[in-house]
Amino acid sequence: MRFKFNPLIPLLAIIMLGLLPVGARDMGPVRRLSYFQAADVNGIQQVYQLLLDGQSQPRQITQADRDVVTFGVSHDGLAITYLSNGQLWLQPLHTDMAEALTPVNNTLFFTPVFSPDGQYIAYASQGIWLYDLGARESRQILADVPLAADGSNMAAYRVYRPDRFVMGVDGKASHLILRVGVWEWETPGVYNLATGAYQELEGQVHTRLLPLYGDKVLLYGNGGVAGEMALHLADSLDDINQYQLVVTFSELTTETLFAQTATEIHPGVVRLFGPSLYQMPDADHWFSFDYDLMNNVASDVRYLPMPTSTIGSSLGGDLSPDGALAPVYADARWSDYGSIFGNLTLRDLLTGAEVAAPFPATVGELRWQP
């Protein structure tokens, strides 16, 4: 079965799911569409879909013969792509039949990413590849640079993984954002799909970037090894090394903040989320705050207590697209494929309250409908 993008279907699907208000009437509680990995009755890791409306139950999407090790979700809500048994697969949500697209060769498996226009799937296989869903062809755009046995090429070492596509004014994918593993660090990269030009954020400044409304680019992400405890702003995806400081975390709090993920909750308003060294007894805490880049104003820093883990760690996942919900894993561990799994709950980021959802006892990585 061929997967084709219809620009009307995503809007209709969103309206039917209650994710977009029609007119000005009250639509009631917000409902969100999520996907996650969990074992089926045979113990094989599959992908499940769950509508977070307070009453729906998880629905199994894949019927793979071997474990699904990672997956990505299309923007129109009609399909997922997943990796299993050394293959990239396409799974339409309205049929049980999956289509084998192309072999994948990696020791660690990184999330494949759909372009919003439905043309490409970007995936990692000893480099970055673009699978053209119209032509059913794959081409490599970047090759990994493995570490030499004697470590002599540490400066050149690179492991690429796709992060997200950015759309151009013509409604087609214009850039591919990458997460780039370098020696003892990670940095963001940008590949221009029209020109083939590639650039990386130089130095150990930040680990991530987020394209924003108005073509601006937020640079963020820091850790215990390096990275600035601040936010920077660039004017263009084609020149990410020309940036300016917009806020330092020390202006907001005396605690140590490690920005893990960010989402634009309103045009020009970004919500940051990540672990902190907030010193309170009996619990680890993760932080969040909002920053209005247009008005140069930050909210107060909020702290979310993490559950106590008896094994593994307590970890947070990516925020929901509206920035309202945070996935929280208790007893989190890492699979042999490099993916997270554990006891998953959803927390309201503003109130800290747990959001009831019928997840199984052990859940792999959660994905949100883009």
Side-chain angles (χ1 to χ4, degrees), residues 154-213:
M154 288 185 296
Y157 169 77
R158 293 292 184 277
V159 176
Y160 301 101
R161 51 178 167 153
D163 190 356
R164 69 176 68 203
F165 285 90
V166 180
M167 301 298 287
V169 294
D170 60 355
K172 297 183 179 298
S174 63
H175 296 77
L176 176 62
I177 309 303
L178 302 170
R179 301 182 68 171
V180 186
V182 298
W183 182 249
E184 295 187 334
W185 186 244
E186 178 179 291
T187 194
V190 180
Y191 184 89
N192 188 308
L193 295 169
T195 67
Y198 172 71
Q199 60 176 321
E200 290 176 2
L201 184 64
E202 298 170 356
Q204 295 183 318
V205 180
H206 290 296
T207 58
R208 305 287 302 273
L209 66 76
L210 177 68
L212 300 173
Y213 172 81

Short mmCIF file of all heavy atoms in Angstrom, two decimals, residues 154-213:
data_model
loop_
_atom_site.label_atom_id
_atom_site.label_comp_id
_atom_site.label_asym_id
_atom_site.label_seq_id
_atom_site.Cartn_x
_atom_site.Cartn_y
_atom_site.Cartn_z
N MET A 154 39.30 11.81 16.82
CA MET A 154 38.24 12.23 17.74
C MET A 154 37.55 13.50 17.27
O MET A 154 36.34 13.66 17.43
CB MET A 154 38.82 12.42 19.14
CG MET A 154 39.19 11.12 19.84
SD MET A 154 39.72 11.38 21.55
CE MET A 154 41.21 12.34 21.31
N ALA A 155 38.30 14.43 16.69
CA ALA A 155 37.71 15.70 16.25
C ALA A 155 36.74 15.50 15.09
O ALA A 155 35.78 16.27 14.94
CB ALA A 155 38.81 16.68 15.85
N ALA A 156 36.95 14.47 14.28
CA ALA A 156 36.11 14.23 13.11
C ALA A 156 34.94 13.30 13.39
O ALA A 156 34.00 13.21 12.59
CB ALA A 156 36.95 13.66 11.97
N TYR A 157 34.98 12.60 14.51
CA TYR A 157 33.95 11.61 14.84
C TYR A 157 32.55 12.24 14.81
O TYR A 157 32.30 13.29 15.39
CB TYR A 157 34.24 11.06 16.23
CG TYR A 157 33.13 10.22 16.83
CD1 TYR A 157 32.92 8.91 16.41
CD2 TYR A 157 32.32 10.73 17.83
CE1 TYR A 157 31.91 8.13 16.97
CE2 TYR A 157 31.31 9.97 18.40
CZ TYR A 157 31.12 8.67 17.95
OH TYR A 157 30.12 7.91 18.51
N ARG A 158 31.60 11.58 14.10
CA ARG A 158 30.22 12.06 14.00
C ARG A 158 29.25 10.89 13.93
O ARG A 158 29.49 9.91 13.20
CB ARG A 158 30.01 12.92 12.74
CG ARG A 158 30.75 14.25 12.72
CD ARG A 158 30.23 15.23 13.75
NE ARG A 158 30.87 16.52 13.66
CZ ARG A 158 32.04 16.85 14.19
NH1 ARG A 158 32.74 15.92 14.85
NH2 ARG A 158 32.54 18.07 14.07
N VAL A 159 28.15 11.00 14.68
CA VAL A 159 27.02 10.08 14.57
C VAL A 159 25.77 10.95 14.42
O VAL A 159 25.44 11.74 15.31
CB VAL A 159 26.89 9.16 15.80
CG1 VAL A 159 25.64 8.29 15.68
CG2 VAL A 159 28.13 8.28 15.94
N TYR A 160 25.08 10.80 13.29
CA TYR A 160 23.94 11.66 12.97
C TYR A 160 22.62 10.94 13.26
O TYR A 160 22.49 9.74 12.99
CB TYR A 160 23.98 12.06 11.50
CG TYR A 160 25.22 12.80 11.08
CD1 TYR A 160 26.24 12.15 10.38
CD2 TYR A 160 25.38 14.15 11.38
CE1 TYR A 160 27.39 12.83 9.99
CE2 TYR A 160 26.54 14.83 10.99
CZ TYR A 160 27.53 14.17 10.31
OH TYR A 160 28.67 14.84 9.92
N ARG A 161 21.66 11.70 13.76
CA ARG A 161 20.30 11.17 13.89
C ARG A 161 19.31 12.29 13.58
O ARG A 161 19.55 13.46 13.91
CB ARG A 161 20.06 10.58 15.27
CG ARG A 161 20.42 11.48 16.44
CD ARG A 161 20.10 10.81 17.74
NE ARG A 161 20.70 11.48 18.87
CZ ARG A 161 20.19 11.44 20.11
NH1 ARG A 161 19.09 10.78 20.36
NH2 ARG A 161 20.79 12.08 21.09
N PRO A 162 18.18 11.95 12.95
CA PRO A 162 17.22 12.99 12.58
C PRO A 162 16.43 13.49 13.79
O PRO A 162 16.16 12.74 14.72
CB PRO A 162 16.30 12.26 11.59
CG PRO A 162 16.37 10.82 11.99
CD PRO A 162 17.76 10.61 12.51
N ASP A 163 16.09 14.76 13.76
CA ASP A 163 15.31 15.37 14.84
C ASP A 163 13.95 15.83 14.33
O ASP A 163 12.91 15.39 14.82
CB ASP A 163 16.09 16.55 15.42
CG ASP A 163 15.47 17.09 16.69
OD1 ASP A 163 14.40 16.60 17.09
OD2 ASP A 163 16.05 18.01 17.29
N ARG A 164 13.93 16.70 13.33
CA ARG A 164 12.66 17.18 12.77
C ARG A 164 12.91 17.87 11.44
O ARG A 164 14.01 18.34 11.15
CB ARG A 164 11.97 18.16 13.72
CG ARG A 164 12.70 19.51 13.87
CD ARG A 164 11.92 20.46 14.75
NE ARG A 164 11.90 20.02 16.12
CZ ARG A 164 10.98 20.38 17.00
NH1 ARG A 164 10.00 21.18 16.64
NH2 ARG A 164 11.04 19.97 18.25
N PHE A 165 11.85 17.92 10.63
CA PHE A 165 11.87 18.69 9.40
C PHE A 165 11.29 20.08 9.66
O PHE A 165 10.48 20.27 10.57
CB PHE A 165 11.03 18.02 8.31
CG PHE A 165 11.66 16.81 7.68
CD1 PHE A 165 11.45 15.54 8.20
CD2 PHE A 165 12.44 16.93 6.54
CE1 PHE A 165 12.01 14.42 7.62
CE2 PHE A 165 13.01 15.83 5.93
CZ PHE A 165 12.80 14.56 6.48
N VAL A 166 11.71 21.04 8.83
CA VAL A 166 11.16 22.39 8.86
C VAL A 166 10.56 22.67 7.49
O VAL A 166 11.16 22.35 6.46
CB VAL A 166 12.25 23.43 9.19
CG1 VAL A 166 11.66 24.84 9.21
CG2 VAL A 166 12.89 23.11 10.54
N MET A 167 9.37 23.27 7.48
CA MET A 167 8.67 23.54 6.23
C MET A 167 9.05 24.92 5.69
O MET A 167 9.24 25.87 6.43
CB MET A 167 7.16 23.48 6.46
CG MET A 167 6.69 22.13 6.98
SD MET A 167 7.04 20.79 5.84
CE MET A 167 5.80 21.15 4.58
N GLY A 168 9.12 25.02 4.35
CA GLY A 168 9.37 26.28 3.68
C GLY A 168 8.07 27.00 3.36
O GLY A 168 6.97 26.49 3.60
N VAL A 169 8.18 28.19 2.80
CA VAL A 169 7.00 28.99 2.48
C VAL A 169 6.17 28.34 1.38
O VAL A 169 4.98 28.66 1.21
CB VAL A 169 7.40 30.42 2.07
CG1 VAL A 169 8.01 31.15 3.24
CG2 VAL A 169 8.36 30.40 0.88
N ASP A 170 6.77 27.43 0.60
CA ASP A 170 6.04 26.75 -0.47
C ASP A 170 5.29 25.52 0.03
O ASP A 170 4.69 24.79 -0.78
CB ASP A 170 7.01 26.35 -1.59
CG ASP A 170 8.11 25.40 -1.11
OD1 ASP A 170 8.19 25.14 0.11
OD2 ASP A 170 8.90 24.95 -1.96
N GLY A 171 5.31 25.27 1.34
CA GLY A 171 4.60 24.12 1.89
C GLY A 171 5.34 22.82 1.77
O GLY A 171 4.77 21.75 2.04
N LYS A 172 6.60 22.86 1.38
CA LYS A 172 7.42 21.66 1.27
C LYS A 172 8.56 21.71 2.29
O LYS A 172 8.96 22.78 2.74
CB LYS A 172 7.99 21.52 -0.15
CG LYS A 172 6.93 21.35 -1.23
CD LYS A 172 7.55 21.15 -2.59
CE LYS A 172 6.49 20.96 -3.66
NZ LYS A 172 5.66 19.75 -3.41
N ALA A 173 9.07 20.53 2.62
CA ALA A 173 10.17 20.46 3.58
C ALA A 173 11.39 21.18 3.03
O ALA A 173 11.82 20.92 1.91
CB ALA A 173 10.51 19.01 3.89
N SER A 174 11.94 22.10 3.81
CA SER A 174 13.09 22.91 3.37
C SER A 174 14.39 22.54 4.08
O SER A 174 15.46 22.64 3.50
CB SER A 174 12.81 24.39 3.57
OG SER A 174 12.64 24.69 4.96
N HIS A 175 14.30 22.15 5.36
CA HIS A 175 15.48 21.83 6.15
C HIS A 175 15.21 20.59 7.00
O HIS A 175 14.05 20.31 7.36
CB HIS A 175 15.86 22.98 7.10
CG HIS A 175 16.25 24.25 6.42
ND1 HIS A 175 15.34 25.12 5.86
CD2 HIS A 175 17.48 24.81 6.20
CE1 HIS A 175 15.97 26.16 5.33
NE2 HIS A 175 17.27 25.99 5.54
N LEU A 176 16.28 19.89 7.32
CA LEU A 176 16.23 18.78 8.26
C LEU A 176 17.14 19.11 9.44
O LEU A 176 18.33 19.36 9.26
CB LEU A 176 16.68 17.48 7.60
CG LEU A 176 16.75 16.25 8.51
CD1 LEU A 176 15.38 15.90 9.08
CD2 LEU A 176 17.34 15.05 7.76
N ILE A 177 16.54 19.13 10.63
CA ILE A 177 17.30 19.37 11.86
C ILE A 177 17.87 18.03 12.33
O ILE A 177 17.17 17.01 12.33
CB ILE A 177 16.43 19.99 12.96
CG1 ILE A 177 15.67 21.21 12.41
CG2 ILE A 177 17.26 20.36 14.17
CD1 ILE A 177 16.55 22.28 11.85
N LEU A 178 19.11 18.04 12.77
CA LEU A 178 19.79 16.82 13.19
C LEU A 178 20.31 16.95 14.62
O LEU A 178 20.60 18.06 15.08
CB LEU A 178 20.97 16.52 12.26
CG LEU A 178 20.64 16.36 10.78
CD1 LEU A 178 21.91 16.31 9.97
CD2 LEU A 178 19.81 15.10 10.56
N ARG A 179 20.43 15.82 15.28
CA ARG A 179 21.16 15.73 16.53
C ARG A 179 22.46 15.00 16.20
O ARG A 179 22.43 13.89 15.65
CB ARG A 179 20.34 15.01 17.59
CG ARG A 179 19.02 15.72 17.87
CD ARG A 179 18.22 15.05 18.96
NE ARG A 179 18.86 15.18 20.26
CZ ARG A 179 18.26 14.83 21.41
NH1 ARG A 179 17.04 14.33 21.39
NH2 ARG A 179 18.90 14.97 22.57
N VAL A 180 23.57 15.61 16.53
CA VAL A 180 24.87 15.13 16.06
C VAL A 180 25.74 14.73 17.25
O VAL A 180 26.08 15.57 18.09
CB VAL A 180 25.59 16.22 15.23
CG1 VAL A 180 26.87 15.65 14.62
CG2 VAL A 180 24.66 16.77 14.14
N GLY A 181 26.07 13.46 17.29
CA GLY A 181 26.99 12.99 18.31
C GLY A 181 28.42 13.29 17.92
O GLY A 181 28.89 12.86 16.86
N VAL A 182 29.10 14.08 18.74
CA VAL A 182 30.52 14.37 18.55
C VAL A 182 31.24 13.81 19.77
O VAL A 182 30.63 13.26 20.68
CB VAL A 182 30.77 15.88 18.39
CG1 VAL A 182 30.05 16.42 17.16
CG2 VAL A 182 30.31 16.66 19.62
N TRP A 183 32.56 13.92 19.78
CA TRP A 183 33.32 13.32 20.87
C TRP A 183 32.92 13.93 22.22
O TRP A 183 33.07 15.12 22.44
CB TRP A 183 34.82 13.51 20.63
CG TRP A 183 35.68 12.88 21.68
CD1 TRP A 183 36.44 13.54 22.60
CD2 TRP A 183 35.84 11.49 21.95
NE1 TRP A 183 37.09 12.64 23.42
CE2 TRP A 183 36.74 11.36 23.04
CE3 TRP A 183 35.32 10.32 21.36
CZ2 TRP A 183 37.12 10.13 23.55
CZ3 TRP A 183 35.71 9.09 21.87
CH2 TRP A 183 36.59 9.01 22.96
N GLU A 184 32.35 13.11 23.10
CA GLU A 184 31.94 13.47 24.46
C GLU A 184 30.90 14.59 24.49
O GLU A 184 30.78 15.31 25.48
CB GLU A 184 33.16 13.87 25.31
CG GLU A 184 34.12 12.72 25.55
CD GLU A 184 35.22 13.07 26.53
OE1 GLU A 184 35.54 14.27 26.64
OE2 GLU A 184 35.76 12.16 27.18
N TRP A 185 30.13 14.76 23.43
CA TRP A 185 29.14 15.84 23.41
C TRP A 185 28.13 15.58 22.31
O TRP A 185 28.26 14.64 21.52
CB TRP A 185 29.84 17.19 23.21
CG TRP A 185 28.94 18.40 23.31
CD1 TRP A 185 28.64 19.29 22.32
CD2 TRP A 185 28.22 18.83 24.46
NE1 TRP A 185 27.79 20.26 22.78
CE2 TRP A 185 27.51 20.00 24.11
CE3 TRP A 185 28.10 18.35 25.76
CZ2 TRP A 185 26.69 20.69 24.99
CZ3 TRP A 185 27.29 19.04 26.64
CH2 TRP A 185 26.60 20.19 26.26
N GLU A 186 27.10 16.40 22.28
CA GLU A 186 26.12 16.39 21.20
C GLU A 186 25.86 17.83 20.79
O GLU A 186 25.84 18.74 21.64
CB GLU A 186 24.81 15.75 21.67
CG GLU A 186 23.73 15.74 20.61
CD GLU A 186 22.45 15.07 21.10
OE1 GLU A 186 22.48 13.84 21.30
OE2 GLU A 186 21.44 15.77 21.29
N THR A 187 25.68 18.06 19.51
CA THR A 187 25.41 19.40 19.01
C THR A 187 24.34 19.32 17.94
O THR A 187 24.15 18.26 17.33
CB THR A 187 26.71 20.04 18.46
OG1 THR A 187 26.52 21.44 18.27
CG2 THR A 187 27.11 19.42 17.13
N PRO A 188 23.59 20.40 17.69
CA PRO A 188 22.60 20.36 16.61
C PRO A 188 23.23 20.65 15.26
O PRO A 188 24.23 21.37 15.15
CB PRO A 188 21.61 21.47 17.01
CG PRO A 188 22.41 22.43 17.83
CD PRO A 188 23.45 21.61 18.54
N GLY A 189 22.63 20.09 14.22
CA GLY A 189 23.03 20.35 12.85
C GLY A 189 21.82 20.68 12.00
O GLY A 189 20.68 20.35 12.36
N VAL A 190 22.05 21.35 10.87
CA VAL A 190 20.98 21.73 9.95
C VAL A 190 21.40 21.37 8.53
O VAL A 190 22.48 21.79 8.09
CB VAL A 190 20.66 23.24 10.03
CG1 VAL A 190 19.54 23.59 9.06
CG2 VAL A 190 20.28 23.64 11.45
N TYR A 191 20.56 20.61 7.85
CA TYR A 191 20.80 20.25 6.45
C TYR A 191 19.77 20.95 5.59
O TYR A 191 18.57 20.79 5.80
CB TYR A 191 20.73 18.74 6.27
CG TYR A 191 21.06 18.27 4.87
CD1 TYR A 191 22.37 17.98 4.50
CD2 TYR A 191 20.06 18.13 3.91
CE1 TYR A 191 22.68 17.55 3.23
CE2 TYR A 191 20.36 17.70 2.62
CZ TYR A 191 21.68 17.41 2.29
OH TYR A 191 21.98 16.99 1.02
N ASN A 192 20.23 21.76 4.61
CA ASN A 192 19.34 22.45 3.69
C ASN A 192 18.99 21.49 2.56
O ASN A 192 19.85 21.07 1.79
CB ASN A 192 20.03 23.70 3.15
CG ASN A 192 19.10 24.58 2.33
OD1 ASN A 192 18.44 24.10 1.40
ND2 ASN A 192 19.04 25.87 2.64
N LEU A 193 17.72 21.11 2.47
CA LEU A 193 17.30 20.10 1.49
C LEU A 193 17.37 20.62 0.06
O LEU A 193 17.54 19.82 -0.87
CB LEU A 193 15.87 19.65 1.81
CG LEU A 193 15.70 18.91 3.14
CD1 LEU A 193 14.23 18.74 3.46
CD2 LEU A 193 16.40 17.57 3.11
N ALA A 194 17.28 21.92 -0.13
CA ALA A 194 17.32 22.49 -1.48
C ALA A 194 18.74 22.61 -2.00
O ALA A 194 19.03 22.29 -3.17
CB ALA A 194 16.63 23.85 -1.51
N THR A 195 19.66 23.02 -1.15
CA THR A 195 21.03 23.29 -1.60
C THR A 195 22.03 22.19 -1.23
O THR A 195 23.12 22.13 -1.81
CB THR A 195 21.53 24.62 -1.01
OG1 THR A 195 21.67 24.48 0.42
CG2 THR A 195 20.56 25.75 -1.32
N GLY A 196 21.66 21.35 -0.27
CA GLY A 196 22.60 20.35 0.21
C GLY A 196 23.62 20.89 1.19
O GLY A 196 24.52 20.17 1.64
N ALA A 197 23.51 22.17 1.56
CA ALA A 197 24.44 22.77 2.52
C ALA A 197 24.17 22.20 3.92
O ALA A 197 23.03 22.00 4.32
CB ALA A 197 24.29 24.28 2.53
N TYR A 198 25.26 21.98 4.66
CA TYR A 198 25.16 21.45 6.02
C TYR A 198 26.01 22.29 6.97
O TYR A 198 27.12 22.70 6.63
CB TYR A 198 25.62 19.99 6.07
CG TYR A 198 25.71 19.47 7.47
CD1 TYR A 198 24.56 19.21 8.21
CD2 TYR A 198 26.95 19.25 8.08
CE1 TYR A 198 24.63 18.76 9.51
CE2 TYR A 198 27.03 18.79 9.38
CZ TYR A 198 25.88 18.54 10.09
OH TYR A 198 25.94 18.11 11.39
N GLN A 199 25.47 22.54 8.17
CA GLN A 199 26.20 23.28 9.18
C GLN A 199 25.91 22.70 10.55
O GLN A 199 24.86 22.08 10.78
CB GLN A 199 25.82 24.77 9.16
CG GLN A 199 24.34 25.01 9.42
CD GLN A 199 23.96 26.47 9.50
OE1 GLN A 199 24.69 27.28 10.04
NE2 GLN A 199 22.80 26.79 8.95
N GLU A 200 26.85 22.88 11.47
CA GLU A 200 26.70 22.47 12.86
C GLU A 200 26.90 23.67 13.76
O GLU A 200 27.62 24.61 13.41
CB GLU A 200 27.74 21.41 13.22
CG GLU A 200 27.53 20.07 12.58
CD GLU A 200 28.64 19.10 12.92
OE1 GLU A 200 29.55 19.47 13.68
OE2 GLU A 200 28.58 17.96 12.42
N LEU A 201 26.28 23.62 14.93
CA LEU A 201 26.55 24.62 15.94
C LEU A 201 27.94 24.37 16.49
O LEU A 201 28.24 23.28 16.99
CB LEU A 201 25.51 24.55 17.06
CG LEU A 201 25.63 25.63 18.14
CD1 LEU A 201 25.39 27.02 17.55
CD2 LEU A 201 24.63 25.36 19.26
N GLU A 202 28.80 25.35 16.40
CA GLU A 202 30.21 25.17 16.75
C GLU A 202 30.43 25.28 18.25
O GLU A 202 29.74 26.04 18.94
CB GLU A 202 31.06 26.21 16.01
CG GLU A 202 30.98 26.09 14.50
CD GLU A 202 31.62 27.25 13.78
OE1 GLU A 202 32.06 28.20 14.47
OE2 GLU A 202 31.69 27.22 12.53
N GLY A 203 31.42 24.56 18.73
CA GLY A 203 31.74 24.61 20.15
C GLY A 203 30.74 23.82 20.96
O GLY A 203 29.75 23.29 20.45
N GLN A 204 30.98 23.71 22.23
CA GLN A 204 30.07 23.00 23.12
C GLN A 204 29.12 24.00 23.78
O GLN A 204 29.11 24.17 25.00
CB GLN A 204 30.88 22.21 24.15
CG GLN A 204 31.70 21.09 23.52
CD GLN A 204 32.44 20.27 24.54
OE1 GLN A 204 33.00 20.80 25.50
NE2 GLN A 204 32.45 18.97 24.35
N VAL A 205 28.31 24.64 22.95
CA VAL A 205 27.42 25.70 23.43
C VAL A 205 26.07 25.13 23.85
O VAL A 205 25.60 25.35 24.96
CB VAL A 205 27.23 26.77 22.33
CG1 VAL A 205 26.32 27.87 22.82
CG2 VAL A 205 28.58 27.33 21.92
N HIS A 206 25.41 24.38 22.95
CA HIS A 206 24.11 23.79 23.22
C HIS A 206 23.98 22.46 22.50
O HIS A 206 24.71 22.19 21.54
CB HIS A 206 22.98 24.73 22.77
CG HIS A 206 22.84 25.96 23.61
ND1 HIS A 206 22.48 25.93 24.94
CD2 HIS A 206 23.01 27.27 23.31
CE1 HIS A 206 22.44 27.16 25.42
NE2 HIS A 206 22.76 28.00 24.44
N THR A 207 23.01 21.67 22.94
CA THR A 207 22.78 20.35 22.35
C THR A 207 21.60 20.32 21.38
O THR A 207 21.48 19.40 20.59
CB THR A 207 22.49 19.31 23.45
OG1 THR A 207 21.35 19.73 24.21
CG2 THR A 207 23.69 19.16 24.37
N ARG A 208 20.70 21.29 21.45
CA ARG A 208 19.46 21.23 20.66
C ARG A 208 19.18 22.59 20.04
O ARG A 208 19.69 23.63 20.49
CB ARG A 208 18.26 20.87 21.55
CG ARG A 208 18.38 19.59 22.35
CD ARG A 208 18.27 18.34 21.50
NE ARG A 208 17.03 18.26 20.78
CZ ARG A 208 15.88 17.73 21.26
NH1 ARG A 208 15.85 17.30 22.51
NH2 ARG A 208 14.80 17.66 20.52
N LEU A 209 18.30 22.58 19.01
CA LEU A 209 17.75 23.83 18.50
C LEU A 209 16.29 23.62 18.17
O LEU A 209 15.84 22.51 17.88
CB LEU A 209 18.54 24.36 17.31
CG LEU A 209 18.58 23.62 15.97
CD1 LEU A 209 17.30 23.81 15.16
CD2 LEU A 209 19.76 24.11 15.14
N LEU A 210 15.53 24.71 18.22
CA LEU A 210 14.10 24.68 17.98
C LEU A 210 13.72 25.78 17.00
O LEU A 210 13.87 26.97 17.32
CB LEU A 210 13.33 24.87 19.29
CG LEU A 210 11.80 24.93 19.19
CD1 LEU A 210 11.23 23.59 18.77
CD2 LEU A 210 11.19 25.38 20.52
N PRO A 211 13.25 25.45 15.79
CA PRO A 211 12.76 26.49 14.87
C PRO A 211 11.51 27.14 15.44
O PRO A 211 10.63 26.47 15.98
CB PRO A 211 12.45 25.70 13.59
CG PRO A 211 13.13 24.39 13.74
CD PRO A 211 13.17 24.10 15.20
N LEU A 212 11.42 28.46 15.31
CA LEU A 212 10.34 29.22 15.91
C LEU A 212 9.54 29.99 14.87
O LEU A 212 9.96 30.14 13.72
CB LEU A 212 10.91 30.22 16.94
CG LEU A 212 11.69 29.65 18.11
CD1 LEU A 212 12.31 30.78 18.91
CD2 LEU A 212 10.81 28.78 18.98
N TYR A 213 8.42 30.48 15.32
CA TYR A 213 7.60 31.38 14.52
C TYR A 213 8.44 32.59 14.08
O TYR A 213 9.22 33.13 14.87
CB TYR A 213 6.42 31.84 15.37
CG TYR A 213 5.57 32.93 14.75
CD1 TYR A 213 4.59 32.62 13.81
CD2 TYR A 213 5.73 34.25 15.12
CE1 TYR A 213 3.80 33.60 13.24
CE2 TYR A 213 4.94 35.25 14.56
CZ TYR A 213 3.98 34.92 13.63
OH TYR A 213 3.21 35.90 13.08
#
